[in-house]
Each structure stands twice: as C-alpha cells, then as structure tokens.
Amino acid sequence: MAGKILIVDDVATNRIVLNVKLAAAYYETVQAATGAEAIALARQVRPDLVLLDVELPDMDGIVVCERLKADPATRDIPVVMITAFRDTARKMEALQAGAEEVFWKPLDEMVLLARLRSLLRARETAEQLGLRDSTYRELGFAEAAPDFAPKALVGLVAGQADTALAWKRVLQAHLDDRILVLDRETALGNFAGGRVPDVFVVAADLARPGDGLRLMSELRSRPATRYASVCVMLPDNGREVAAVALDLGAADLLEQSADPAEMAIRLQTQIARKRQSDRLRASVADGLRQAMTDPLTGLHNRRYALPHLARIAERAEAAGRQFAVMVLDLDRFKTINDTLGHVAGDAVLVEVAERLKSNLRAVDLIARIGGEEFLVALPDTTPEAASATAERLCRVVGARPVRLKDGGSVQVTTSIGLALGGRGTRGVEDLIGLADAALRESKAEGRNQVTVRRSAARA
C-alpha cells in the first residue's frame, strides 16, 4: 500500500467513490462519517493523510482540522479539505486552520492524486528526519531549537521581470519576509557568499511552456538549492501542468488569479516547513557526531544504531508496516590485517562503508557495530525489496578490488544475514540475533552470500 488515508464525509456515496479511487491507486483507507469519529480515528490509527469534508453533521470540518492540528498526536498529519461550495472565504479559513490543501467538488482526480503523492512524500521525509532527531534527543545530545528565526527569503522567478515585480508588490503587503526578483540564471547561481532563498516561486511557463518545471528540477538537483521549497505559479487552465509539477517535486501550487492573502498563507506554510526541516537536518548532521558516529568510517556507531532501530520497530508496529535488519561481516578480514597491515584494513573499512552507504536510501540506517561488522536497517520495506537490497549490497562490496594507498589493491567480499520484522514480531535484540544467526549460516555456506530469516511472532 502507498499509504493509509482517513476519508471523512457524512455522505456514504462520497466515501465509497473516494475509496474506489484511492484503492485503485493502492492506498489503504479508513472512513468516518462525523467530526468526532474522525478525531478519534485519527488518534487511534494515525493515518498518513486525512481527506476531510468541510461540511459535517456534528461539527464544522474546519473545527475538526483545528483540533487535529492542535493535538500533538495528530498535528503532523496532512489534512486535505474538500467542499462543494466555491467559497473563497471558507477556503482561507481552512488554510488558516492548518489544512495543506482545499479542493472544490467535483474533484479533479488527476490533480488530487498528484497532490496526495506530494504531501505523502513530504510527510515521509519529515517523519524520518524527526525519527532521527528524536533518537538524538533520547540520547541527550540534541540542542533546543532557537527562539529567534530571521526573516525568510523568497525568490520570485517569472517569464518577465514586470510579472515578478507585480507578484512582489501584492505579496509584500501580506508577508513580513524579504522578497527578491530573480531571473533564471540568478536562481541557478551558486549563491557563493550569499543567502539561498528559503522558497522559490517559479512560473510554470518562462520563455517557453514548461520552462519553469525544468527550472524547478534543476533547483532540486543542485546542492545549493536542493532543500529550498519550490512553489509553481500555474497558468490559467493549468490542470495538467499542476499534476506534473507536483510529481516533479513542487511543494505547492499557486494560481495567478488567487487572492494574494491565500498565496501568502501558502508561502508561510512552506517557510515554516523549511525551517523545521533545516533544524532537523542540522540536528542529524551536527548532533555530536563524536558521540554517535564511528570516527574511521563516519557511519553511526552501535550507541546510536540500537535506539534508532528500536524507534523504527515502534513505528512499524504502530503503522502495521514491515522493516528489515541486516548484519554484514567482511569475509576473512583478519587475513587482510595480518598480511597487509592495519592501515590497509582501515582503507578497506572506509571504502566498504562508502559502497554500502551509496547503495542505500537516505531513510535507511547504516552503522558500524564491530571491527568489520555493519548493521543496516530498512524501514517501510517489503521482504522482496529487502532481499533485493541485501543481494545488491553483497554485489557492490565485491564488485571491484579496494585500492590501497601504496598502489596495491585487495579483493573484499561480505556475508550478510537478513531478518524481517513488522507488527507482532519480537524485540530488536531478538531480530538482530536472527540476522546474526543468518550471517553465520552465510559464512558456513561459503561466504559472499545472503541468508534470510523471518522473525518469529511474540508469544
């Protein structure tokens, strides 16, 4: 399943129609007919997203949204509101209440699904960053967020400078942040010594139709602007452009005819998210590396890995998802140390760590937990995907010899034990034990291979 979505609508037919559309896109759904039921279900099942009708029989849908956003247990769940009335004032109320998006009925299925995909991708990234941050906090190494936040920087890129200046004039009345008018070349500059915009607003069409989407892709691929939020300004009748922009990574969509106050609210939301993600990334990057990383390879160490793996298991248990744990051990590593020396052994460990890290997702955990032993955890995976990942890691380690500083080289292979966990499985120590037993089997069967063990359920 692509995610779990809570559908809230008092009309059963509407819930059925949405359920069919979402099921066809491989989403799991739960349903509620009232606001009170929606709030209770959101706390109970922790959906990945809420589709919420504005008009409900027991309470206003906007009130439901406000309560969800006020509750620490549900405030990070994206809320998409749906209404049959094209009431701009109500739309503004919904956005001010914390809704990520508001759609008019009848729903445009293509744009709706693209928006859901966009919001779920953003939520997954934020959750994984938050998971790492909370691990640091549990270990007592995270710093408190600063009380003061400087003014944000918003960069506007339109086909014509006059157009961008017009955007600036209407937005400046609603934003207390710095706004810059940029051309395409300046937006793609390296910003050496200068500040990178927190949010870019890019016209979908610049010199030619679709140029803005190409610019957005460039911004997201460059190190200087990779983490900036990009909002796309849609042309009139930009339905197909909207879906493509979201799937290419647009954080939000702005309509040229929209109320400037609505544009400002959307930009303020993106600024807040950018600040949060910056803080989380800084925590992950700088959270006292010496205490939680291996000084030789730069990977996390056992002290970090075990509590973080416990959090991955807790999240899998709550969400009913699967995860995987691997224990990897370099084959005949002692021989390398004994014959070529510890300097060569260190070079092998550094290179193997880099090969492993470069073949894993950003959300995966990799740690050095012993001399030549590594631990890998794959959150939100399937048995098939986990096995394929383990086989790939086994291949990349042995794909080519490791070059040494003296000009020589040494061939290295690894044996891997893989254990699969999820709802109802035993604790992480038992899971690591299963992976370790599978590793010993790989060694006994000739090394340079993967052995899989499934976790036994709790008694």
Side-chain angles (χ1 to χ4, degrees):
M1 287 293 177
K4 185 184 296 181
I5 296 178
L6 171 59
I7 301 170
V8 188
D9 196 307
D10 62 319
V11 180
T13 304
N14 292 342
R15 297 197 302 272
I16 292 169
V17 169
L18 277 172
N19 180 64
V20 170
K21 293 179 186 296
L22 295 173
Y26 300 101
Y27 292 105
E28 179 186 354
T29 65
V30 288
Q31 300 178 26
T34 66
E37 186 183 1
I39 292 169
L41 270 175
R43 287 186 59 85
Q44 178 185 342
V45 305
R46 303 290 176 87
D48 297 297
L49 186 141
V50 177
L51 272 177
L52 174 62
D53 194 81
V54 173
E55 289 76 32
L56 294 172
D58 59 333
M59 68 178 77
D60 193 309
I62 293 174
V63 174
V64 175
C65 181
E66 288 174 337
R67 292 188 183 179
L68 291 173
K69 294 298 182 179
D71 186 342
T74 57
R75 65 187 174 197
D76 294 327
I77 301 173
V79 176
V80 173
M81 302 200 71
I82 300 170
T83 177
F85 303 103
R86 288 183 173 268
D87 185 336
T88 302
R90 291 284 280 165
K91 182 178 184 180
M92 288 291 293
E93 284 183 54
L95 293 172
Q96 289 167 340
E100 275 72 15
E101 187 57 271
V102 180
F103 282 107
W104 313 118
K105 295 179 183 178
L107 296 173
D108 185 321
E109 182 177 348
M110 182 174 71
V111 178
L112 172 66
L113 292 176
R115 190 67 172 122
L116 298 187
R117 290 191 292 269
S118 171
L119 290 170
L120 289 171
R121 282 196 305 271
R123 173 168 166 75
E124 177 65 19
T125 300
E127 274 196 337
Q128 291 300 333
L129 285 170
L131 195 65
R132 292 178 185 273
D133 184 58
S134 62
T135 302
Y136 283 119
R137 290 184 182 280
E138 182 177 283
L139 292 170
F141 296 121
E143 296 181 358
D147 295 330
F148 172 76
K151 289 186 177 183
L153 185 61
V154 179
L156 308 179
V157 188
Q160 302 292 328
D162 288 347
T163 302
L165 285 169
W167 295 350
K168 180 177 180 178
R169 281 193 296 271
V170 298
L171 287 172
Q172 198 72 75
H174 300 275
L175 288 175
D176 188 31
D177 297 293
R178 291 180 57 205
I179 301 177
L180 293 179
V181 171
L182 307 172
D183 58 24
R184 183 182 185 281
E185 288 68 31
T186 307
L188 290 174
N190 59 18
F191 293 95
R195 185 175 163 195
V196 178
D198 298 286
V199 180
F200 287 92
V201 178
V202 179
D205 300 333
L206 298 175
R208 295 171 298 175
D211 268 359
L213 302 189
R214 286 185 281 275
L215 172 60
M216 178 182 67
S217 296
E218 284 284 337
L219 291 171
R220 292 183 61 80
S221 69
R222 299 194 174 201
T225 53
R226 178 175 300 153
Y227 299 117
S229 178
V230 182
C231 299
V232 172
M233 186 73 78
L234 295 175
D236 294 332
N237 301 317
R239 171 180 174 268
E240 292 188 7
V241 174
V244 173
L246 289 167
D247 281 336
L248 286 176
D252 204 350
L253 304 175
L254 306 178
E255 297 177 354
Q256 292 188 105
S257 58
D259 187 315
E262 178 188 333
M263 294 186 189
I265 288 175
R266 291 180 180 273
L267 291 177
Q268 287 166 343
T269 298
Q270 294 308 317
I271 289 167
R273 288 182 182 166
K274 170 66 163 48
R275 284 173 173 159
Q276 181 189 36
S277 63
D278 283 349
R279 183 184 65 79
L280 290 174
R281 270 191 297 272
S283 174
V284 172
D286 302 327
L288 294 178
R289 287 187 176 92
Q290 292 182 355
M292 289 169 286
T293 59
D294 170 50
L296 176 64
T297 63
L299 301 179
H300 284 298
N301 58 18
R302 178 185 288 271
R303 185 180 188 184
Y304 174 87
L306 294 184
H308 186 70
L309 178 57
R311 289 186 176 276
I312 290 174
E314 288 169 5
R315 182 167 177 260
E317 176 75 21
R321 296 175 180 173
Q322 293 180 296
F323 68 103
V325 176
M326 295 181 219
V327 177
L328 304 84
D329 189 87
L330 300 187
D331 297 327
R332 298 187 174 92
F333 182 74
K334 185 175 184 300
T335 302
I336 296 174
N337 274 339
D338 290 346
T339 59
L340 299 176
H342 288 281
V343 172
D346 287 351
V348 167
L349 290 170
V350 170
E351 174 62 21
V352 168
E354 183 57 35
R355 292 182 190 183
L356 295 173
K357 185 177 179 181
S358 63
N359 279 274
L360 292 168
R361 303 171 299 177
V363 299
D364 296 333
L365 168 69
I366 176 170
R368 182 185 175 202
I369 58 172
E372 66 270 23
E373 195 170 57
F374 300 87
L375 181 139
V376 170
L378 310 176
D380 296 339
T381 191
T382 63
E384 296 77 16
S387 294
T389 299
E391 294 288 354
R392 182 174 70 249
L393 295 180
C394 198
R395 288 196 304 273
V396 299
V397 169
R400 63 185 187 279
V402 174
R403 293 190 177 278
L404 305 177
K405 291 183 179 179
D406 63 4
S409 63
V410 59
Q411 185 66 45
V412 183
T413 61
T414 186
S415 298
I416 300 177
L418 171 64
L420 302 166
R423 175 170 285 178
T425 57
R426 294 182 184 275
V428 294
E429 293 289 352
D430 288 341
L431 203 58
I432 293 173
L434 282 174
D436 202 47
L439 168 65
R440 292 195 297 273
E441 191 172 331
S442 291
K443 294 280 191 183
E445 293 295 324
R447 300 179 174 85
N448 192 27
Q449 60 185 283
V450 177
T451 301
V452 181
R453 288 280 184 91
R454 292 185 178 272
S455 174
R458 287 194 297 257

